[in-house]
Amino acid sequence: DAGVIQSPRHEVTEMGQEVTLRCKPISGHDYLFWYRQTMMRGLELLIYFNNNVPIDDSGMPEDRFSAKMPNASFSTLKIQPSEPRDSAVYFCASRTTADTQYFGPGTRLTVL
Amino acid sequence: AQSVTQLDSHVSVSEGTPVLLRCNYSSSYSPSLFWYVQHPNKGLQLLLKYTSAATLVKGINGFEAEFKKSETSFHLTKPSAHMSDAAEYFCVVVFGNQFYFGTGTSLTVIP
């Protein structure tokens, strides 16, 4: 298995632009998680899905952030409009009902 | 309430000497506990996990951790540090579907 796949690996954009981050979980995993990692705040859970349904989005910082999971093999995290304080590394992770999460390599987002 | 505390934000050791990264947790129930490692510009990789079986857990790359309920600790150790061990290490408490991450310990290995 290729593991969790994220794209793009790096994204540089200007303030106000829309940003879409993509994730393909490991096949057969029914939980998907989005995290954000910054030096100041460490690793934060943004949202997670179970069987494509959002279960807890309390970590989503504000309405500019949205996440979807249209099917079991794909999820997106969208930021619109983006702001410089959104600059971070965004990780996607997946797991089965067993509790080990497997992380993707991350997307490093820079908003100028 | 569940929480996890990594007692050291930075640890420096000489190559070939033992490594000790400390982690304490708070949980109302018997938790699952994990250690993840993150190398520079990489994602998080599972090192080892404890899920109420043997209290001494062996992981990859020679790391191990011991679950001590009386001390609510899950410290990570390795007998002899290698240069490739330099990374950020995260202790994680799992309760239900929630992962509670520690703030991380940055390990530096001095040649």
Side-chain angles (χ1 to χ4, degrees), chain B residues 1-23:
Chain B
Q2 282 61 240
S3 67
V4 59
T5 302
Q6 292 184 242
L7 298 160
D8 306 295
S9 58
H10 300 277
V11 170
S12 289
V13 300
S14 297
E15 188 176 17
T17 63
V19 176
L20 170 63
L21 305 183
R22 297 182 293 166
C23 173

Side-chain angles (χ1 to χ4, degrees), chain B residues 6-8 10-13 19-24 35-36 47 63-65 74-78 85 87-91 105-108:
Chain B
Q6 292 184 242
L7 298 160
D8 306 295
H10 300 277
V11 170
S12 289
V13 300
V19 176
L20 170 63
L21 305 183
R22 297 182 293 166
C23 173
N24 285 93
W35 277 97
Y36 281 85
L47 265 182
F63 283 93
E64 62 183 36
F74 190 57
H75 301 334
L76 181 70
T77 61
K78 182 173 180 177
D85 295 328
E88 188 88 11
Y89 291 80
F90 292 93
C91 183
T105 298
S106 177
L107 176 64
T108 299

Side-chain angles (χ1 to χ4, degrees), chain A residues 37 56 95 99-101 108, chain B residues 32 36 38 49 97 99:
Chain A
Q37 186 179 38
D56 184 353
R95 70 171 173 89
D99 52 12
T100 301
Q101 285 193 10
R108 182 173 297 276
Chain B
S32 293
Y36 281 85
Q38 184 179 27
K49 67 177 181 179
N97 289 318
F99 270 49

Side-chain angles (χ1 to χ4, degrees), chain B residues 62-102:
Chain B
F63 283 93
E64 62 183 36
E66 186 171 8
F67 173 71
K68 292 186 176 180
K69 187 175 182 178
S70 60
E71 299 176 10
T72 61
S73 68
F74 190 57
H75 301 334
L76 181 70
T77 61
K78 182 173 180 177
S80 176
H82 191 272
M83 294 300 295
S84 61
D85 295 328
E88 188 88 11
Y89 291 80
F90 292 93
C91 183
V92 183
V93 172
V94 180
F95 180 71
N97 289 318
Q98 288 287 356
F99 270 49
Y100 297 88
F101 281 82

